Amino acid sequence: MSNPILKVENLHVNFNTYAGTVKAIRDVSFDLNEGETLAIVGESGSGKSVTTKTLMGLNAKNASIPDNSRLLFKDKNLLALTEEEWQHVRGNEIAMIFQDPMTSLDPTMKIGHQIAEPLVKHRGISEKEALARALELMKGVGIPDAEEHINDYPHQWSGGMRQRAVIAIALAADPEILIADEPTTALDVTIQAQILNLMKKLQKESNSSIIFITHDLGVVAGMADRVAVMYAGKIVEYGTVDEIFFNPQHPYTWGLLNSMPTTDTEEGSLQAIPGTPPDLLEPPLGDAFAPRNVYALAIDSREEPPFFKVSDTHYAATWLLDERAPKVTPPKQILTRWAHWQELQGQEA
Amino acid sequence: MLKYILKRLILLIFTLFLVITATFFLMQIMPGTPFNNPKLTPEMIAQLNKAYGLDLPLWHQYLNYMINATHGDFGTSFQYQNQSVGMLIGQRLPISAQLGAQALVIGVIAGLFMGAISARNKNNKIDGTLGVVSTLGISVPSFILAIILLYLFGFKWPLFPVSGWGDSFSESVLPTIALAVGPAAIVTRFVRSEMIEALSSDYVQLARAKGLSEKEIVNKHAYRNSMIPVLTLIGPMAAGLLTGSTLIENIFSIPGIGQQFVSSIPTKDFPVIMGTTIVYALMLMVMILITDILTAIVDPRVRLQ
């Protein structure tokens, strides 16, 4: 394992609203290693997007982050930066790929200029040089006949092509960390695969690290090295992509996996997780997932579970891993995954 | 582009024809006659009607008007003897247009600035103050404002002349301000809401993620996008301002055309009613055409065809 380029420690993000304080991120910690892809997975409202916005310093004005939270990027605490210092980080050291390519580009500006913008800002080069580099970037992200299209406006392009332009913008200043916030959610499935392959290829070329935010576990399997599962503003389980997919320990991860169709999903076996995520104005005592969890223990409604170590790389916050907990049998599909995990382990041994 | 403008101009002539026709016949519905001075004897009235061609059947009058109009003859005013409508408008319209243009430029520029400042300070004290000022600007009628301005800067601190036109630029300062405040307030409110929308859009989020400063974002991305809807507001506003304001011109004794719009109607000065209506309709259509062309320049998604 290489060195972490980003360390998130005890991150809390609160939003002060008229109704009260929304605790959107509740004590999140994770590392991001150089050249790796970390997927953050969770349903709507789990805090994925707030995490990314915090990493870009782009939270709404009513957000407050306690002093003990730390975002260490190359040993520099990003949370202590002024707005001007943040502007040097954004697009330059940490860049972001947005979710919806149809609305992410300025409709009144030529695409070439939009790609050149971060270069002019961060490299201090002339508009002309930046445009020449923008052309290279357009070719790099696979835009055909880039010379002819550098002066196009966004409305002249399809969604897939626009997402390539958004990626080119993010890559323009050669950032060390790329945050991709559901970059394929708004695209057709066939285009999704193209964009994911492109991102993998570009990552190999530049050795940048990617934080991949998604609710789509199918995408995670092909992209990520490690996965963190978020629920109600917390990470509930994290591990390598194999550990999460084949040896999941948290009932919420089980639920997510069972609600994802795979090639051997039998008809009728696709299961939704019952209920809705809790209101983060007043997060419940204990395990926030307990009310939706058929495997919940009595202690879940009183005390929050700590992280239990499954392996050196795999941790899960569920009381089921406590040695005093009764042994429960997970759903059938999860048992199949566990069996597959045993095989994998056997092969390695 | 050129083809499009030509097409629009042809359409404009056709619309103008409809406006003239409708106005011509609608005027006839008004009760009374143009010559209602009690000193006039029935014989004299008959003579006047004959002289102005009002004794002819309506279709004949209409035909005569149209034929003369195509030759640039819009008749002679009933009220201002021996003044042709063309001359009357030709003398007065430029005065009103100059005043209106000054007010428009000042109003729009002030509105663009204040709207953007308001939007960037959304919901704080600056925004609140500008909100109150712009609400006042919209709700206080221009003539009240004119009187306040006259009292303050013409009487209490006599910085500017209180009336007149054409001798010096300073004469136009107070009426320009009185006229500009309303449009400035309207543009401010409009720009504010458009700018707030633009600043919360995805492409501005992306611009922030590029590391641009708020100033760069406003100037490079937000202004251009919020100008598109603002342009559609400015077109008709310009037509209204350039064709003069009865009240302001009255208060400052400005010999503009604004008054003719109103006074020609109760006096049934048919040629002047027709003339001013044509001027306003033409102005409005030209301004809308200009707005459409400008919109196409600002917004690449709009193609003129």
Side-chain angles (χ1 to χ4, degrees):
Chain A
M1 271 288 160
S2 44
N3 296 328
I5 187 166
L6 179 79
K7 282 165 91 90
V8 177
E9 292 174 359
N10 310 106
L11 180 66
H12 288 259
V13 180
N14 300 321
F15 290 95
N16 303 312
T17 66
Y18 289 116
T21 305
V22 178
K23 298 159 195 83
I25 303 288
R26 306 182 297 142
D27 200 17
V28 161
S29 302
F30 62 85
D31 290 349
L32 178 69
N33 295 317
E34 230 170 278
E36 89 167 333
T37 300
L38 170 71
I40 300 181
V41 185
E43 63 195 298
S44 312
S46 61
K48 298 171 300 190
S49 290
V50 176
T51 308
T52 58
K53 281 192 175 155
T54 308
L55 291 174
M56 294 294 289
L58 286 174
N59 268 323
K61 278 180 194 155
N62 62 345
S64 68
I65 299 172
D67 289 336
N68 64 341
S69 298
R70 291 180 5 126
L71 283 185
L72 294 172
F73 171 69
K74 295 197 285 190
D75 298 326
K76 172 169 72 179
N77 186 8
L78 297 178
L79 292 176
L81 297 186
T82 63
E83 170 58 26
E84 227 164 283
E85 290 166 330
W86 259 120
Q87 283 169 20
H88 178 74
V89 173
R90 281 184 215 131
N92 189 18
E93 292 171 320
I94 305 179
M96 184 156 172
I97 299 170
F98 283 78
Q99 181 172 359
D100 188 354
M102 302 312 275
T103 55
S104 294
L105 295 168
D106 184 340
T108 62
M109 192 188 259
K110 289 173 181 169
I111 291 172
H113 283 90
Q114 300 196 44
I115 299 173
E117 228 175 5
L119 286 162
V120 175
K121 172 84 183 180
H122 297 298
R123 295 283 170 271
I125 58 178
S126 72
E127 187 82 23
K128 209 179 143 200
E129 289 171 288
L131 280 173
R133 176 82 187 106
L135 188 64
E136 295 302 308
L137 284 159
M138 282 168 74
K139 287 176 183 164
V141 295
I143 287 161
D145 305 319
E147 287 91 348
E148 286 167 43
H149 294 294
I150 192 162
N151 285 326
D152 283 358
Y153 287 97
H155 72 276
Q156 294 166 283
W157 286 20
S158 68
M161 284 297 132
R162 288 193 215 185
Q163 194 60 318
R164 287 171 194 265
V166 171
I167 292 172
I169 290 171
L171 293 174
D174 209 3
E176 279 145 286
I177 299 177
L178 208 53
I179 299 171
D181 186 3
E182 310 223 12
T184 57
T185 308
L187 301 172
D188 292 344
V189 182
T190 47
I191 311 292
Q192 273 187 19
Q194 289 177 16
I195 295 291
L196 293 173
N197 286 336
L198 173 68
M199 287 181 64
K200 269 194 275 189
K201 181 188 126 209
L202 294 168
Q203 182 185 26
K204 221 174 248 170
E205 286 167 12
S206 63
N207 196 36
S208 56
S209 314
I210 298 181
I211 296 180
F212 199 96
I213 309 287
T214 184
H215 64 267
D216 185 349
L217 278 169
V219 169
V220 170
M223 278 299 287
D225 300 310
R226 285 195 302 140
V227 181
V229 179
M230 271 189 95
Y231 185 76
K234 281 175 165 295
I235 291 177
V236 293
E237 181 165 7
Y238 65 94
T240 65
V241 69
D242 282 346
E243 284 166 338
I244 295 299
F245 272 78
F246 298 114
N247 192 23
Q249 296 298 322
H250 198 286
Y252 180 64
T253 315
W254 298 347
L256 278 184
L257 287 166
N258 280 349
S259 57
M260 171 186 73
T262 60
T263 43
D264 34 58
T265 300
E266 293 159 40
E267 205 176 327
S269 69
L270 207 58
Q271 275 154 13
I273 303 172
T276 50
D279 184 359
L280 292 177
L281 262 173
E282 280 167 61
L285 217 62
D287 186 348
F289 185 58
R292 302 172 70 186
N293 182 4
V294 290
Y295 304 99
L297 307 172
I299 189 170
D300 277 325
S301 55
R302 291 198 307 272
E303 223 171 305
E304 254 182 279
F307 273 114
F308 290 93
K309 183 176 169 180
V310 183
S311 76
D312 283 345
T313 49
H314 185 185
Y315 289 80
T318 167
W319 284 116
L320 291 178
L321 292 174
D322 191 280
E323 52 195 13
R324 290 160 292 178
K327 288 284 157 264
V328 299
T329 315
K332 199 179 88 205
Q333 299 94 319
I334 299 299
L335 286 175
T336 320
R337 288 176 183 274
W338 281 3
H340 187 70
W341 176 250
Q342 292 306 328
E343 276 170 39
L344 284 177
Q345 295 302 100
Q347 282 166 15
E348 270 171 43
Chain B
M1 181 78 134
L2 219 68
K3 206 174 141 198
Y4 170 81
I5 295 173
L6 206 72
K7 217 160 89 183
R8 283 288 296 265
L9 287 175
I10 293 167
L11 200 67
L12 187 149
I13 290 166
F14 179 69
T15 315
L16 202 58
F17 166 77
L18 290 181
V19 168
I20 293 174
T21 308
T23 314
F24 189 90
F25 290 104
L26 281 170
M27 281 190 318
Q28 310 299 329
I29 301 172
M30 289 197 296
T33 77
F35 311 111
N36 51 6
N37 189 327
K39 286 180 200 154
L40 294 174
T41 62
E43 292 78 32
M44 288 162 85
I45 291 175
Q47 219 174 351
L48 279 167
N49 276 337
K50 200 176 158 74
Y52 286 110
L54 297 178
D55 55 339
L56 297 170
L58 203 52
W59 65 267
H60 200 159
Q61 288 183 41
Y62 172 70
L63 216 62
N64 278 348
Y65 185 84
M66 280 308 203
I67 291 165
N68 290 335
T70 48
H71 294 91
D73 175 9
F74 293 91
T76 313
S77 167
F78 298 162
Q79 295 296 313
Y80 303 86
Q81 261 116 34
N82 299 326
Q83 272 249 45
S84 79
V85 172
M87 251 172 71
L88 189 79
I89 292 173
Q91 279 170 4
R92 289 167 171 263
L93 185 61
I95 297 172
S96 291
Q98 186 199 331
L99 183 62
Q102 284 174 209
L104 183 70
V105 169
I106 290 173
V108 168
I109 290 175
L112 287 177
F113 265 110
M114 293 197 295
I117 291 169
S118 225
R120 284 185 63 182
N121 292 288
K122 190 178 132 192
N123 296 340
N124 74 10
K125 273 182 195 158
I126 298 171
D127 183 30
T129 312
L130 283 171
V132 172
V133 171
S134 58
T135 308
L136 276 175
I138 289 171
S139 47
V140 175
S142 63
F143 63 91
I144 304 258
L145 199 76
I147 290 164
I148 295 171
L149 286 170
L150 271 179
Y151 173 75
L152 290 178
F153 303 109
F155 174 70
K156 197 125 193 263
W157 302 290
L159 296 170
F160 300 104
V162 292
S163 70
W165 186 263
D167 299 323
S168 72
F169 176 74
S170 67
E171 285 174 343
S172 73
V173 171
L174 292 184
T176 300
I177 294 171
L179 266 181
V181 166
I186 294 168
V187 174
T188 299
R189 294 178 73 90
F190 212 76
V191 168
R192 176 186 183 271
S193 68
E194 290 302 325
M195 185 73 91
I196 286 173
E197 206 186 306
L199 287 176
S200 61
S201 68
D202 285 353
Y203 57 83
V204 162
Q205 282 288 318
L206 182 80
R208 290 203 179 101
K210 285 176 181 175
L212 302 187
S213 69
E214 274 310 291
K215 201 174 139 195
E216 288 168 314
I217 288 167
V218 169
N219 291 341
K220 286 187 185 165
H221 297 280
Y223 247 129
R224 212 180 151 96
N225 281 285
S226 24
M227 271 313 288
I228 297 164
V230 174
L231 277 173
T232 56
L233 173 81
I234 294 175
M237 184 185 270
L241 282 172
L242 295 176
T243 47
S245 151
T246 314
L247 289 165
I248 296 295
E249 288 175 8
N250 250 325
I251 291 170
F252 291 96
S253 312
I254 295 165
I257 200 177
Q259 208 181 340
Q260 267 56 48
F261 273 90
V262 180
S263 64
S264 60
I265 294 168
T267 56
K268 300 205 71 179
D269 197 345
F270 290 152
V272 178
I273 297 179
M274 292 300 295
T276 50
T277 308
I278 291 169
V279 164
Y280 185 78
L282 199 61
M283 193 72 91
L284 189 63
M285 287 188 285
V286 169
M287 285 303 153
I288 290 172
L289 176 59
I290 292 175
T291 305
D292 287 351
I293 293 169
L294 284 178
T295 306
I297 292 170
V298 177
D299 188 350
R301 286 164 295 184
V302 176
R303 284 280 156 266
L304 299 180
Q305 45 194 268

